[in-house]
């Protein structure tokens, strides 16, 4: 779709949606939100880019390949669980740091959520961009 | 010791990035990895000289722990794996210099090194099995180094099949061992250590013969003994360093190692001796004859390896202290000269481009160092004094004669003379005689030096064994569970026995030379041909068996995995419905009744049903997808009504993305709607109806069943203080049930990779 309005607006929407998704990711623990939803919102932003321009444009905006995101997300999720093992606790035990200035609290579940976030983006965009690049 | 393993595996992982960063020089760096590991190993032994053990409890609830033990046997094998690893990797650095996959090659080789090392130092049954299978996997990836070549793929697959089947038998054997040792009251001692098992001994148990046979067949598969040997000559498709490292010096010795490792627990009985000496003896002679019949240099070496492995098993079967000492010396000598000879074969191939003996000759002038290496190594193979191979053969003859009398000696001599002939073929033909008129390439020092060092060791160890002697003695002590000191004397003694042994050595050398000289004469060729025929029959049988399995499996697979998504979906839905309905029929539970529905809910339900009806009824695919979206929106409303905001938001987003995906898929992949026949429509309608009824019944049963209230109560209570979150759904997802979420995202990622792979295949086919 080569509509000028669409091209310009998705260029503005993408950073807004990305910021929004980060916000949803961070608020997930105390209000509706979380890794899955945030990942879907971010994917929607890139999907809009793919629809208004083409898949290559969306891939450029994404910078890293979707499958890298899948691997990275999984690695983060596993790493958040291994942190607890290094001090003798069971895998995926939660560790928290409280009383931080902006974030308030930071913990391994948030790292896990970040991993979920990246993986969802990688999965959704991986499939979508690959399908949209198929020659009809 | 765990540190050494981690170090080697980390080096394996880092090989590819190192190659990309440093280029071909990275290979020299990586060749030092086994050397460093070796040094560290020596330091451990120096610090704790008596059988250091490390234990890591990683599943305490089941009592499973990883135990690593460095006893005499483990130490000797570790020395071999790491020491020959340095030589082979240095050779590979030169051999693979121009390849752009150098990093990946070293990654796989180091992965193998770590696995093999883990295998020999493993003291608990779980680690033993895991490392065993890891060596199988490593071998598969190394044989199939050139996956574009059909021969390489077939060879890798056949090696994988045989050694994996052996691995399964090993697992059965290990479980049988656990059951044999278990006390019914205490349950199974999952933390059973091999050293403890060896102390207890299994010879008296009722399942002893079963365990012995299982272990033996597993060892036979891994060490390519008759009749499971056909995979090893085929595996010679692999690059030369792989053949030298895995398929002569280390991995194929794993079967022999297994038998040696379990010697205290399983050995010493007449069944042990009978089985092992038969298998070993037959293999030793037949493979020896097969070696002489080969025209390809590497296949010749492969068969000679099989023959020597047969000799080692033969000796382990005899089981006396002298026999075990002989076996240990054979292991060391063979590792040295065989690795050297394989690397020489690689150099010859690099120089001339061929491995066929009929096309080789007169290379001594062009490759003097390699020729010298070949002569030294072949002399050890032929058991000429004063090489280590001679000491090994002497001990073999002595042990065979002592325990098995004339029959044993004759068998051993037959094996020995075939090795002499093979040695003459390997060293004589390519380097001396007339040189064919072909252009020769140069071979770098990196490829000629390492084998020379190995071959030289085969000579120098006899005179100055140093600590290697202690290691060999320690190894024998570990296998026989009694202290023993190995001596490497060249003179067998002046008594009648000693003179018989000497005569046997002389006869075998002379006969071997005779066979070599007369090999083209009809009578000798006929005898060789007979042995070769026996090999071919077993190969043929194996191939027929493999073929039979494939032909049996094909029609079933074609029917079940027919590539049509609808057929898969039908199968899944049918199975799920049956699983849900059948128990309900047997044990009719109370169903919830008297459910009240508000107008708002009814509206949402109506929207969902309307959407679903639209999907079924509407003709165009775009309209159907839109109705799917409508059905999804109905569900979103329901989530909202029942105050599940996270689910509602997720559902909305997913609906939007699914509609986009569907449209893209339909239009890009050109999927057209197919009109079904009446019968098909009826069948699908009844399936859909039964799924709907089943799910409805399930829901009614679930609502009527009283829930265990404590779970939701405890989680709600703990959500803020412990989970540090007020959104209980998210707390459950990423904290309380994070392991489930980890599984879910793994599935999500894997299915995406599957989609990517399928679409990539489609692109390649176009």
């Amino acid at each position: 779709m080569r509509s000028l309005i669409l091209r310009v607006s998705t260029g503005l929407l993408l950073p807004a949606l990305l910021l929004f998704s980060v916000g949803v990711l961070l608020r997930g623990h105390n209000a509706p939100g979380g890794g899955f939803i945030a990942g879907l919102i971010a994917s929607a932003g890139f999907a809009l880019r793919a629809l208004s321009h083409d898949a290559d444009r969306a891939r450029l905006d994404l910078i890293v390949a979707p499958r890298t995101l899948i691997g990275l997300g999984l690695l983060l999720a596993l790493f958040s669980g291994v942190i607890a093992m290094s001090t003798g606790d069971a895998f995926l035990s939660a560790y928290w740091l409280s009383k931080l200035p902006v974030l308030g609290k930071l913990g391994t579940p948030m790292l896990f959520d970040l991993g979920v976030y990246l993986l969802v983006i990688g999965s959704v965009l991986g499939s979508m961009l690959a399908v949209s690049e198929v020659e009809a | 010791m765990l540190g050494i393993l981690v170090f080697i595996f980390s080096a394996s992982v880092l090989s590819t990035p190192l190659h990309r960063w440093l280029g071909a020089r990275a290979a020299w760096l990586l060749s030092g990895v086994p050397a460093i590991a070796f040094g560290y190993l020596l330091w451990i032994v120096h610090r704790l000289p008596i059988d250091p053990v490390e234990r890591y409890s990683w599943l305490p609830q089941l009592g499973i722990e990883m135990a690593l033990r460095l006893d005499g046997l483990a130490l000797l094998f570790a020395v071999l794996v790491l020491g020959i690893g340095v030589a082979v990797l240095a050779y590979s650095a030169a051999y693979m210099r121009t390849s752009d996959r150098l990093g990946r090659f070293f990654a796989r080789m180091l992965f193998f090194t770590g696995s093999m090392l883990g295998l020999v130092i493993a003291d608990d049954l779980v680690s033993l099995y895991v490392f065993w299978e890891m060596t199988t996997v490593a071998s598969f990836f190394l044989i199939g180094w050139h996956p574009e070549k059909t021969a390489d793929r077939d060879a890798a697959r056949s090696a994988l099949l045989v050694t994996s089947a052996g691995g399964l038998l090993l697992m059965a054997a290990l479980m049988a061992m656990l059951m044999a040792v278990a006390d019914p009251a205490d349950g199974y001692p999952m933390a059973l250590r091999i050293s403890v098992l060896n102390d207890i001994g299994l010879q008296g148990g009722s399942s002893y013969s079963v365990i012995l046979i299982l272990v033996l067949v597993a060892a036979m598969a891994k060490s390519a003994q008759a009749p499971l040997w056909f995979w090893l000559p085929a595996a010679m498709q692999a690059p030369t360093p792989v053949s030298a490292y895995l398929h002569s010096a280390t991995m194929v010795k794993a079967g022999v190692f297994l038998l040696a490792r379990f010697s205290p627990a399983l050995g010493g009985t007449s069944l042990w001796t009978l089985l092992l000496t038969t298998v070993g003896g037959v293999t030793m002679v037949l493979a020896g004859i097969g070696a002489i019949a080969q025209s390809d240099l590497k296949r010749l070496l492969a068969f000679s390896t099989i023959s020597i492995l047969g000799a080692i098993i033969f000796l382990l079967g005899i089981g006396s202290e002298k026999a075990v000492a002989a076996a240990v010396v054979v292991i060391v000598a063979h590792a040295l000269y065989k690795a050297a000879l394989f690397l020489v074969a690689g150099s010859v191939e690099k120089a001339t481009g061929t491995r066929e003996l009929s096309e080789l000759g007169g290379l001594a002038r062009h490759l003097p160092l390699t020729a010298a290496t070949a002569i030294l190594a072949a002399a050890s193979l032929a058991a000429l004094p004063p090489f280590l191979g001679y000491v090994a053969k002497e001990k073999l003859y002595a042990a065979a004669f002592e325990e098995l009398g004339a029959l044993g000696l004759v068998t051993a001599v037959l094996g020995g003379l075939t090795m002499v002939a093979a040695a003459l073929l390997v060293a004589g033909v390519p380097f001396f005689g007339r040189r064919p008129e072909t252009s020769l390439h140069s071979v770098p020092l990196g490829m000629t030096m390492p084998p020379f060092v190995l071959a030289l060791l085969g000579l120098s160890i006899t005179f100055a064994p140093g600590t290697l002697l202690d290691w060999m003695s320690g190894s024998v002590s570990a296998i026989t569970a009694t202290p023993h000191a190995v001596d490497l004397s060249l003179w067998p003694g002046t008594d009648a026995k000693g003179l018989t042994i000497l005569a046997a050595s002389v006869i075998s050398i002379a006969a071997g030379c005779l066979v070599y000289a007369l090999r083209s004469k009809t009578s000798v060729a006929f005898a060789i041909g007979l042995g070769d025929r026996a090999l071919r029959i077993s190969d043929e049988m194996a191939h027929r068996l493999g073929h039979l399995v494939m032909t049996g499996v094909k029609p079933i697979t074609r029917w079940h995995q027919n590539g049509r998504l609808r057929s898969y979906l039908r199968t899944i839905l049918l199975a799920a419905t049956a699983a849900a309905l059948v128990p309900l029929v047997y044990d009719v539970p109370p169903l919830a009744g008297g459910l009240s529905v508000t107008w708002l809910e009814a509206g949402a339900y109506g929207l969902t049903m309307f959407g679903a009806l639209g999907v079924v009824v509407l003709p165009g695919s775009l309209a159907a997808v839109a109705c799917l979206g409508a059905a999804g929106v109905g569900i979103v409303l329901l989530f909202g009504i029942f105050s599940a905001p996270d689910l509602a938001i997720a559902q909305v987003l997913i609906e939007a993305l699914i509609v986009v995906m569907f449209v893209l898929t339909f239009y890009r992949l050109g999927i057209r709607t197919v009109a079904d026949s009446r019968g098909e429509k009826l069948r699908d309608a009844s399936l859909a109806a039964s799924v709907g009824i089943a799910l409805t019944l399930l829901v009614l049963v679930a609502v009527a069943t009283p829930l265990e209230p404590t779970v939701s109560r405890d989680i709600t209570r703990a959500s803020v203080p412990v989970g540090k979150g007020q959104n209980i759904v998210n707390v459950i997802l990423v904290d309380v049930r994070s392991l489930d979420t980890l599984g879910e995202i793994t599935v999500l990622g894997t299915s995406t990779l599957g989609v990517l792979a399928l679409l990539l295949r489609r692109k390649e086919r176009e």
Side-chain angles (χ1 to χ4, degrees):
Chain A
M1 284 173 259
R2 292 282 168 255
S3 151
L4 181 65
I5 298 175
L6 210 57
R7 271 186 288 159
V8 170
S9 51
T10 54
L12 295 169
L13 276 172
L14 178 61
L17 279 172
L18 280 179
L19 267 176
F20 184 46
S21 74
V22 171
V24 168
L25 172 66
L26 289 174
R27 88 200 279 255
H29 233 55
N30 291 315
F36 284 104
I37 296 173
L40 290 170
I41 295 173
S43 314
F46 288 106
L48 276 174
R49 278 299 252 187
L51 289 173
S52 66
H53 294 247
D54 55 16
D56 285 331
R57 183 79 235 197
R59 285 193 197 276
L60 266 171
D61 291 330
L62 193 59
I63 304 174
V64 295
R67 64 169 185 269
T68 313
L69 283 175
I70 294 178
L72 201 61
L74 208 49
L75 208 62
L76 269 175
L78 282 168
F79 177 65
S80 74
V82 167
I83 291 178
M85 283 180 86
S86 63
T87 52
D89 273 332
F91 183 51
L92 287 172
S93 302
Y95 285 173
W96 289 92
L97 293 166
S98 313
K99 311 255 190 296
L100 294 176
V102 171
L103 294 167
K105 54 185 192 291
L106 190 64
T108 52
M110 294 178 69
L111 197 62
F112 187 85
D113 223 1
L114 182 64
V116 171
Y117 175 69
L118 291 175
L119 187 132
V120 169
I121 298 178
S123 279
V124 173
L125 284 177
S127 317
M128 189 172 299
L129 292 175
V131 171
S132 67
E133 284 172 335
V134 171
E135 307 301 308
Chain B
M1 283 177 270
L2 188 64
I4 299 182
L5 289 174
V6 170
F7 171 61
I8 297 178
F9 284 121
S10 315
S12 168
V13 170
L14 290 172
S15 294
T16 319
L18 264 176
H19 177 229
R20 240 178 299 176
W21 182 36
L22 291 173
R25 283 162 297 169
W28 295 107
L29 202 71
L30 292 168
S31 307
V33 168
I36 298 174
F38 186 50
Y40 191 67
L41 203 73
L42 288 180
W43 184 62
I44 292 181
V45 172
H46 183 71
R47 253 189 335 141
L48 307 155
I50 316 224
D51 289 357
V53 179
E54 285 177 16
R55 298 163 73 164
Y56 304 93
S57 179
W58 57 277
L59 201 59
Q61 291 86 349
L62 284 180
I64 294 183
E65 58 179 21
M66 178 193 217
L68 301 172
R69 185 158 178 262
L70 203 58
D71 67 348
L73 179 62
L75 182 58
L76 185 70
F77 264 85
V79 166
L80 282 178
V81 169
L82 294 173
I84 296 188
V86 174
V88 171
L89 285 180
Y91 182 90
S92 308
Y95 186 81
M96 289 255 151
R97 203 179 30 188
T98 49
S99 166
D100 57 347
R101 292 164 71 201
L102 178 77
R104 302 230 319 244
F105 184 75
F106 270 79
R108 294 181 191 184
M109 289 289 262
L110 283 171
F111 175 73
F112 168 76
T113 308
S115 312
M116 188 75 204
L117 186 63
L119 175 65
V120 302
I121 60 177
D123 196 30
D124 71 291
L125 300 181
V126 175
S127 303
L128 182 78
Y129 181 70
V130 169
F131 283 119
W132 177 276
E133 292 293 60
M134 277 168 76
T135 61
T136 302
V137 169
S139 167
F140 174 72
F141 280 112
L142 282 168
I143 298 175
W145 177 243
H146 291 290
E148 64 276 3
K149 294 193 205 156
T150 314
D152 286 30
R153 282 204 310 273
D154 286 344
R157 205 181 316 137
S158 95
L160 184 69
L161 275 172
V162 177
T163 44
S164 300
L168 284 175
L169 292 176
L170 177 63
M171 179 154 72
L174 294 176
M175 290 202 285
M177 281 183 207
L178 267 182
M179 281 162 41
V181 171
D183 186 351
D186 296 331
Y188 298 116
M190 299 299 283
L192 186 64
R193 289 170 46 203
I194 299 178
S195 38
V196 172
L197 186 68
N198 281 338
D199 286 336
I200 298 175
L202 292 165
Q203 289 90 338
S206 48
S207 50
Y208 167 69
S209 36
V210 171
I211 297 177
L212 176 58
I213 292 176
L214 286 171
V215 170
L216 181 60
V217 176
M220 281 163 66
K222 195 65 155 224
S223 292
Q225 298 297 291
L228 299 170
W229 50 19
F230 52 88
W231 66 269
L232 192 57
M236 292 298 116
Q237 292 291 113
T240 307
V242 175
S243 307
Y245 196 23
L246 272 75
H247 303 124
S248 65
T250 47
M251 192 192 89
V252 289
K253 293 236 171 66
V256 166
F257 171 79
L258 190 71
L259 290 170
R261 182 45 105 207
F262 283 112
S263 261
L266 296 173
T269 64
S270 46
L271 186 64
W272 167 272
T273 308
L274 180 69
L275 286 178
L276 267 72
T277 51
T278 313
V279 169
V282 166
T283 307
M284 179 167 57
V285 176
L286 277 182
I289 299 177
I292 313 176
Q294 299 303 313
S295 59
D296 178 303
L297 198 54
K298 275 176 78 174
R299 280 177 70 99
L300 193 158
L301 292 173
F303 276 107
S304 67
T305 303
I306 298 174
S307 174
I308 296 290
L309 290 173
I312 301 175
I313 293 184
F314 181 71
L315 285 167
L316 284 176
I318 296 176
S320 65
E321 269 189 48
K322 275 203 179 157
V324 174
V328 167
V329 179
V330 171
I331 287 174
V332 175
H334 175 254
L336 289 172
Y337 67 66
K338 198 44 72 62
L341 284 173
F342 265 107
L343 296 181
V344 161
S347 302
V348 166
E349 189 178 13
K350 179 98 191 305
T352 59
T354 178
R355 292 199 309 246
E356 292 291 319
L357 281 172
S358 52
E359 297 169 19
L360 292 169
L363 289 168
R365 185 168 295 186
H366 180 69
L367 300 169
L369 192 60
T370 312
T373 309
I375 293 174
L376 286 174
S380 199
L381 168 62
L384 292 173
F387 289 83
L388 193 61
Y390 167 76
V391 178
K393 228 14 111 50
E394 284 284 298
K395 289 185 175 301
L396 166 65
Y397 291 157
F401 185 52
E402 257 184 43
E403 305 293 326
L404 296 179
L407 178 63
L409 188 59
V410 166
T411 316
V413 168
L414 277 175
L417 72 89
T418 55
M419 289 299 103
V420 173
L424 284 166
L425 280 170
V426 168
V429 171
F431 294 102
F432 301 100
R434 214 166 16 98
R435 187 154 74 78
E437 297 299 316
T438 47
S439 59
L440 292 175
H441 307 272
S442 65
V443 177
L445 194 65
M447 279 171 69
T448 52
M449 189 53 92
F452 182 67
V453 171
L454 289 176
L456 206 58
L457 278 174
L459 173 63
S460 54
I461 285 181
T462 326
F463 299 111
T467 32
L468 190 61
L469 193 62
D470 296 328
W471 292 336
M472 286 199 273
S473 308
S475 184
V476 179
S477 313
I479 300 175
T480 55
T482 47
H484 182 94
V486 172
D487 83 277
L488 298 175
S489 64
L490 295 168
W491 186 250
T494 43
D495 54 339
K497 206 167 24 153
L499 287 174
T500 323
I501 307 301
L502 197 61
S505 291
V506 171
I507 290 174
S508 60
I509 293 176
C513 293
L514 208 63
V515 169
Y516 170 75
L518 300 175
R519 68 186 184 282
S520 38
K521 297 280 184 274
T522 40
S523 47
V524 175
F526 178 70
I528 297 176
L530 269 183
D532 193 31
R533 184 89 68 78
L535 289 170
R536 284 187 204 280
I537 291 178
S538 77
D539 279 355
E540 192 56 43
M541 280 188 342
H543 281 255
R544 291 258 180 84
L545 188 66
H547 200 68
L548 200 68
V549 169
M550 295 304 278
T551 47
V553 161
K554 268 197 188 137
I556 300 176
T557 315
R558 234 203 314 264
W559 168 72
H560 190 247
Q561 300 287 326
N562 49 28
R564 289 199 291 271
L565 199 59
R566 291 174 80 180
S567 132
Y568 298 159
L569 209 56
R570 276 191 207 119
T571 314
I572 294 172
L573 288 175
L574 206 58
T577 317
L581 282 179
V582 169
L584 290 182
V585 168
Y586 271 101
D587 187 17
V588 186
L591 299 174
L595 297 168
S596 59
V597 176
T598 66
W599 279 109
L600 201 55
E601 288 169 31
Y605 293 137
L607 181 58
T608 314
M609 286 192 286
F610 175 74
L613 209 62
V615 174
V616 172
V617 164
L618 289 177
S621 46
L622 197 54
V625 170
C627 286
L628 203 62
V633 170
I635 298 182
V636 170
L637 288 175
L638 279 172
F639 282 148
I641 294 169
F642 286 106
S643 56
D646 288 81
L647 297 175
I649 300 173
Q651 185 74 17
V652 157
L653 291 165
I654 290 172
E655 277 313 312
L657 288 168
I658 279 186
V659 168
V660 172
M661 279 288 287
F662 256 112
V663 170
L664 279 174
T665 314
F666 276 135
Y667 278 86
R668 291 295 178 149
L669 294 179
I671 297 175
R672 306 271 168 266
T673 49
V674 174
D676 291 327
S677 69
R678 208 117 190 272
E680 280 177 335
K681 282 192 192 160
L682 207 61
R683 178 183 58 182
D684 290 343
S686 42
L687 181 60
S690 38
V691 172
I693 292 172
L695 282 176
T696 312
L697 284 174
L698 265 180
V699 167
L700 289 175
V701 168
V703 170
T705 312
L707 282 175
E708 181 60 55
T710 52
V711 173
S712 48
R713 188 187 59 204
D714 290 344
I715 292 181
T716 319
R717 277 210 211 124
S719 174
V720 177
V722 181
K724 308 228 186 301
Q726 288 165 333
N727 182 359
I728 192 173
V729 173
N730 202 257
V731 167
I732 294 176
L733 270 180
V734 299
D735 201 348
V736 181
R737 307 294 283 180
S738 47
L739 195 59
D740 297 340
T741 313
L742 189 61
E744 283 162 24
I745 58 177
T746 311
V747 169
L748 191 59
T750 316
S751 56
T752 308
L753 292 175
V755 168
L756 292 177
L758 283 171
L759 289 173
L760 190 67
R761 254 190 74 195
R762 194 173 191 275
K763 212 193 311 181
E764 280 175 359
R765 249 190 295 150
E766 288 163 1

